[in-house]
Amino acid sequence: MNCLQSWPEPIVRVQALSESGIKSIPERYIKPALQRPNSVKHGDRHFDDSQINIPLIDLQNIYSNDESVRNETLSCISNACREWGFFQVVNHGVSPELMKQTREMWREFFNLPLELKQEYANSPTTYEGYGSRLGVEKGAKLDWSDYFFLHFMPHSLRNPNKWPALPPSCRELVSEYGENLVKLCGVLMKVLSINLGLQEDQFQNAFGGEEIGACLRVNFYPKCPQPDLTLGLSPHSDPGGMTLLLPDENVAGLQVRRGDNWITVKPVPNAFIVNIGDQIQVLLMCTLAPGTHVKGH
């Protein structure tokens, strides 16, 4: 509970607000008019994204014995990185059952009594633990979400004692899930290196090699009585190298920006959404030939 006192203002859990039965959201969560969902959804108000989705990649094809299939898959990933900065991957090597168990386990955690979750309350020093805001600016507008953040890699930063002890399966699942996703990121970084004509381990080494950094963040978006006034997560770009997102397959909540329009991502069953972060965007720009353009996301 001492962590709660390290914030400049009292921490309010969004889930607790939602479950209190309020009919209107507090002023702190109301976004300025131009940042509300109806305003930021599309630059062109006549734009229809219902038939548009980010690219879908069958990752097992990079291991195909057919060189043309292999090369086509590498090309699809390259185009997705350059044109979108996002894509979905299936047949990626992570068990669908592990994905399901991990998703359900975190739902169980957020449905625990508040006093149990508060034992893992985070501080603005590292943000590791159970949180409801980012930044320490007093009076800042807040997002309509709670989260849990933890360090997974390098091993020197990993502290399973900061991971929830409840549900009982949490720590074991976090470890197994984390190892699988670090491995998948390694595969994707090799693909990026190959696509740029580099040694296949060049990107991995640029991010620390065996001591690569990896974090896990679980976002929880409670029901909102006025969803037209707020956002679960404000528009942003990811500052790291790569993000693998395991979405809720039943709720299409993620939007990505392409040009002047925001496009809703339609999750594919058992897929991860891959987001090329700012650091890899910079590396791509540094390694591409002059005159080649990388579109932001």
Side-chain angles (χ1 to χ4, degrees), residues 28-127:
R28 295 292 304 276
Y29 299 93
I30 298 177
K31 301 294 183 181
L34 293 179
Q35 296 178 22
R36 295 174 191 173
N38 289 338
S39 297
V40 304
K41 187 175 182 181
H42 302 305
D44 178 358
R45 293 190 177 278
H46 301 289
F47 179 81
D48 180 10
D49 73 344
S50 61
Q51 301 302 313
I52 302 174
N53 204 3
I54 61 175
L56 176 63
I57 309 292
D58 187 338
L59 201 59
Q60 71 178 358
N61 286 337
I62 65 172
Y63 304 109
S64 173
N65 292 326
D66 187 328
E67 185 176 359
S68 64
V69 172
R70 221 169 39 244
N71 290 339
E72 182 180 356
T73 304
L74 292 173
S75 178
C76 287
I77 293 174
S78 178
N79 290 337
C81 291
R82 296 170 193 271
E83 297 177 12
W84 286 87
F86 283 84
F87 54 95
Q88 296 190 72
V89 289
V90 293
N91 296 319
H92 38 62
V94 181
S95 160
E97 185 61 26
L98 175 60
M99 297 165 71
K100 178 182 177 182
Q101 290 176 352
T102 301
R103 190 190 289 114
E104 291 178 350
M105 177 273 293
W106 281 111
R107 283 200 185 104
E108 287 183 45
F109 171 81
F110 282 103
N111 285 323
L112 290 172
L114 180 59
E115 60 270 20
L116 293 179
K117 292 180 289 191
Q118 295 285 50
E119 294 179 12
Y120 300 95
N122 68 355
S123 77
T125 305
T126 66
Y127 291 102

